[in-house]
């Protein structure tokens, strides 16, 4: 029975899992190499345009230099196919109209597996076994309520530390063997390289939780009333989920300044040791930028979590979920009707309906008629009547400019004249009282722009007056600014 159930489970994975599909793809080697080069290293996200350009250059080089490459489609088509297959995720860029591509968790797993095959490492190492033993001992001690055992373990640890300190005082310094240090460094790197894939999986968990909450709210599923009340009250279900709490603890530790500085210092010290020169350049680069990579990717996951929570809260507080409920009800009704009709009529049944096509009909190229521009005739151009322009004065030209733009030269002169006459600071209302707004509200707006740029906030508000083009007096309350020095 276990073989049957496992076979069915693996068969489902083979059909749906992106990692399995990528490793089983016809051009898996090419796809893995391209995705790892442009998205699997320091840069984990690129705009759609950038990635398509890079893939296009790669495909051109591969077709020239690698025999047997049967990839004839365009780079844009391949990128979109990889997105549909689940290797890439396409997301909108924050604060921009562009979109970005990044690797999915399945693609990261496939790339990691393939790179592990190309560079096999020993998994049964002393350092890895020591790490496991230490973690088991720590967990056993932390969960044991026996006071005497815990005290005994701590005293033994204290004695070991005291002996090491005494040896140091006597000039005895034991340094780890370089081969063992290199082995342990590579074990650390193998564990560290799993974190980016964990980040992608955590983001996917957050999106799945968000979709589940949304479906619960608009679908009247069990507990939807409690969910609505919680969201109204500001409860963040995504952050309080097991994935959210686990990530929050990780992110808080990562943002701890003291811990981050210590981590970077330790990494720098390790890379300065002789044994670290045996690491590959890619391994050294990954280790040197490890902290910054964690900070950048952790920040992106945190923005995903908070953004989803804000979106759900906005959906509930704006009552827009009511419209989604109506739309879902109509869709369910249409699907139900369609299900009923499929039992009565076949898919080829002719319906007494005529639908107009919304696209241009496609015809053979032989039916196209070429148009000759020379055959087209246009009516003759009548002789234009040119009227002699009357002369315009500089004053008239100045008035026309004032109709379109704010006269800042006039406003600057008014402010400086008011400051000189008063001998102290002046507000916008005081400037307008001494020099009325010749351009109406445009003069008021210009003074506010000057005050925001070269004045200072005085606190409170004040009333300003101006005369409209129709001759009526207008007034408004604006924030109070103070001019204290000459403006330019």
């Amino acid at each position: 029975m276990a073989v049957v159930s496992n076979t069915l489970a693996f068969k489902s994975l083979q059909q749906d899992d992106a990692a399995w599909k990528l490793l089983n793809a016809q051009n898996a080697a090419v796809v893995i190499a391209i995705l790892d080069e442009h998205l699997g290293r320091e840069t984990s996200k690129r705009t759609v345009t950038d990635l398509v350009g890079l893939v296009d250059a790669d495909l051109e080089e591969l077709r020239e230099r690698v025999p047997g490459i049967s990839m004839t489609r365009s780079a844009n088509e391949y990128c979109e196919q990889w997105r549909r297959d689940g290797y890439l995720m396409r997301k909108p860029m924050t604060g921009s109209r562009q979109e970005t591509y990044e690797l999915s968790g399945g693609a990261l797993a496939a790339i990691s597996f393939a790179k592990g095959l190309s560079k096999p490492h020993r998994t049964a190492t002393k350092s890895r076994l020591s790490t496991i033993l230490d973690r088991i001992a720590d967990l056993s001690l932390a969960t044991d309520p026996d006071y005497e055992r815990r005290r005994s373990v701590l005293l033994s640890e204290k004695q070991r530390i005291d002996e090491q300190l005494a040896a140091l005082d006597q000039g005895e310094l034991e340094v780890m063997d370089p081969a063992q240090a290199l082995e342990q460094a590579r074990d650390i790197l193998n564990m560290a390289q799993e974190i980016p894939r964990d980040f992608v999986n955590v983001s996917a968990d957050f999106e799945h939780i968000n979709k589940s909450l949304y479906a619960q709210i608009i679908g009247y599923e069990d507990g939807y009333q409690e969910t609505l009340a919680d969201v109204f009250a500001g409860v963040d279900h995504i952050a309080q989920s097991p994935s959210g709490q686990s990530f929050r603890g990780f992110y808080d530790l990562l943002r701890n300044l003291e811990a981050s500085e210590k981590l970077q210092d330790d990494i720098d010290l390790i890379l300065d040791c002789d044994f670290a020169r045996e690491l590959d350049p890619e391994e050294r680069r990954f280790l040197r930028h490890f902290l910054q990579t964690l900070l950048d990717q952790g920040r992106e996951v945190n923005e995903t979590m908070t953004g989803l929570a804000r979106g759900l809260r906005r959906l509930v507080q704006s009552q827009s979920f009511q419209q989604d409920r109506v739309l879902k009800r109509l869709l369910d009704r249409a699907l139900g009707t369609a299900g009923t009709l499929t039992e009565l009529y076949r898919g080829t049944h002719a319906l007494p309906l005529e639908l107009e096509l919304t696209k241009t009909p496609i015809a053979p190229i032989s039916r196209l008629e070429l148009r000759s521009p020379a055959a087209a005739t246009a009516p003759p151009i009548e002789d234009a009547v040119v009227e002699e322009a009357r002369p315009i004065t500089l004053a008239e030209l100045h008035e026309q400019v004032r109709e379109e733009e704010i006269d800042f030269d006039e406003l600057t002169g008014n402010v400086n004249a008011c400051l000189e006459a008063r001998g102290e600071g002046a507000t916008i209302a005081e400037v307008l009282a001494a020099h009325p707004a010749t351009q109406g509200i445009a003069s008021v707006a210009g003074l506010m722009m000057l005050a925001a740029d070269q004045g200072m906030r005085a606190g409170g508000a004040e009333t300003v007056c101006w005369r409209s083009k129709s001759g009526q007096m207008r007034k408004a309350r604006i924030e109070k600014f103070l001019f204290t020095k000459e403006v330019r």
Side-chain angles (χ1 to χ4, degrees):
M1 294 299 293
V3 172
V4 174
S5 61
N6 288 338
T7 299
L8 294 174
F10 290 140
K11 189 177 182 62
S12 177
L13 276 177
Q14 186 178 15
Q15 295 173 350
D16 302 329
D17 186 73
W20 199 316
K21 289 169 63 177
L22 176 52
L23 292 171
N24 197 42
Q26 179 181 1
N27 296 304
V30 177
V31 179
I32 289 175
I34 290 176
L35 296 182
D36 179 48
E37 176 66 24
H38 301 307
L39 293 174
R41 302 183 182 182
E42 288 84 357
T43 303
S44 61
K45 181 184 300 185
R46 292 187 186 274
T47 64
V48 171
T49 304
D50 290 345
L51 183 62
V52 169
L54 292 169
V55 173
D56 186 55
D58 291 337
L59 290 176
E60 184 177 352
E61 185 176 5
L62 286 167
R63 289 163 186 154
E64 292 179 357
R65 302 181 58 182
V66 181
I69 293 294
S70 59
M71 300 183 71
T72 58
R73 297 159 64 186
S74 68
N76 185 60
E77 290 175 325
Y78 278 119
C79 288
E80 278 302 293
Q81 183 61 51
W82 297 341
R83 180 192 62 80
R84 290 191 293 269
D85 290 337
Y87 313 154
L88 292 176
M89 296 183 296
R90 184 166 177 166
K91 296 181 179 180
M93 182 184 293
T94 305
S96 173
R97 293 184 178 181
Q98 298 188 72
E99 291 182 309
T100 60
Y101 278 129
E102 57 187 280
L103 293 176
S104 67
L108 284 168
I111 292 172
S112 176
F113 179 78
K115 292 171 73 173
L117 293 178
S118 63
K119 295 182 180 180
H121 58 274
R122 295 172 296 167
T123 55
T125 59
K126 178 182 177 181
S127 62
R128 178 161 296 193
L129 179 60
S130 298
T131 301
I132 295 173
L133 295 178
D134 291 341
R135 295 292 299 274
I136 291 175
D138 291 342
L139 179 62
S140 173
L141 182 63
T143 56
D144 190 353
D146 189 343
Y147 170 82
E148 292 298 333
R149 176 174 177 267
R150 183 171 296 192
R151 178 177 173 81
S152 174
V153 172
L154 291 175
L155 288 175
S156 299
E157 181 68 15
K158 179 176 180 298
Q159 181 180 357
R160 186 183 65 82
I161 294 174
D162 290 338
E163 291 174 354
Q164 290 182 354
L165 288 173
L168 285 174
D169 292 339
Q170 295 177 6
E172 299 177 8
L173 180 61
E174 183 179 354
V175 180
M176 182 180 291
D177 179 70
Q180 186 178 352
L182 182 62
E183 180 182 275
Q184 188 164 345
R186 287 210 163 104
D187 283 338
I188 293 172
L189 279 168
N190 291 330
M191 289 187 290
Q193 288 170 351
E194 296 292 323
I195 294 180
R197 188 172 66 189
D198 294 339
F199 279 150
V200 174
N201 292 333
V202 169
S203 296
D205 287 343
F206 291 157
E207 293 178 359
H208 176 71
I209 295 170
N210 183 67
K211 290 179 181 178
S212 299
L213 293 171
Y214 174 75
Q216 184 185 42
I217 290 173
I218 69 169
Y220 294 96
E221 297 179 4
D222 292 340
Y224 79 91
Q225 293 179 328
E226 292 79 3
T227 302
L228 276 175
D230 289 344
V231 176
F232 267 118
V235 176
D236 189 348
H237 281 267
I238 298 177
Q240 292 185 0
S241 66
S243 297
Q245 292 178 356
S246 177
F247 172 74
R248 177 57 61 188
F250 171 88
Y251 193 55
D252 290 343
L253 177 60
L254 184 61
R255 292 194 304 169
N256 183 284
L257 183 60
E258 182 179 355
S260 298
E261 292 291 340
K262 183 179 183 303
L263 173 61
Q264 189 61 52
D265 291 342
D266 291 340
I267 290 174
D268 293 339
L269 289 173
I270 290 173
L271 292 174
D272 289 338
C273 294
D274 293 337
F275 78 88
R277 295 188 178 92
E278 300 297 324
L279 295 171
D280 296 337
E282 183 179 346
E283 293 175 327
R284 290 177 58 86
R285 186 167 55 251
F286 176 83
L287 193 58
R288 187 173 298 281
H289 300 291
F290 178 57
L291 176 60
Q292 190 59 47
T293 301
L294 289 181
L295 289 170
D296 293 341
Q297 297 184 352
R299 189 181 303 111
E300 291 178 4
V301 176
N302 185 65
E303 289 175 357
T304 299
M305 182 177 67
T306 55
L308 291 173
R310 282 197 301 267
L312 187 63
R313 190 180 309 115
R314 193 182 306 116
L315 174 77
V316 172
Q317 294 178 348
S318 65
Q319 297 291 321
S320 59
F321 69 92
Q322 301 285 6
Q323 300 175 359
D324 294 345
R325 283 179 169 178
V326 173
L327 181 60
K328 181 180 183 301
R329 186 162 56 249
L330 294 175
L331 289 173
D332 289 343
R333 187 182 304 166
L335 290 173
T337 304
T340 303
L341 291 175
T342 54
E343 298 177 358
L344 302 176
Y345 302 97
R346 294 182 179 180
T348 57
H349 179 76
L351 297 176
L353 296 175
E354 291 185 3
L355 299 177
E356 294 183 3
L357 295 178
T358 58
K359 296 182 179 180
T360 303
I362 299 176
I365 193 171
S366 60
R367 296 186 183 179
L368 298 179
E369 297 181 0
L370 298 180
R371 175 180 170 274
S372 174
T377 59
I381 301 176
E382 299 179 358
D383 294 337
V385 179
V386 180
E387 296 183 358
E388 185 177 353
R390 69 177 183 83
I392 185 171
T393 64
L394 184 61
E396 290 175 331
L397 183 60
H398 183 260
E399 286 300 321
Q400 290 182 12
V401 173
R402 281 170 53 88
E403 289 292 329
E404 302 294 334
E405 298 182 2
I406 298 174
D407 191 348
F408 281 102
D409 292 338
E410 179 191 54
L411 297 178
T412 301
N414 292 344
V415 173
N416 293 336
C418 187
L419 291 175
E420 183 178 356
R422 292 172 59 86
E424 58 182 3
T427 65
I428 295 177
E430 291 168 345
V431 172
L432 289 174
H435 304 277
T438 58
Q439 291 183 282
I441 192 173
S443 296
V444 178
L447 286 172
M448 293 182 67
M449 293 171 65
L450 284 175
D453 184 38
Q454 303 184 47
M456 58 182 295
R457 285 182 169 82
E462 62 177 350
T463 302
V464 295
C465 302
W466 70 92
R467 190 176 297 278
S468 67
K469 290 185 178 181
S470 61
Q472 296 182 349
M473 288 299 299
R474 304 289 187 186
K475 63 174 62 177
R477 294 282 290 174
I478 64 171
E479 185 178 0
K480 192 173 183 180
F481 285 90
L482 184 66
F483 294 102
T484 58
K485 59 182 180 180
E486 181 182 356
V487 297
R488 298 179 181 178

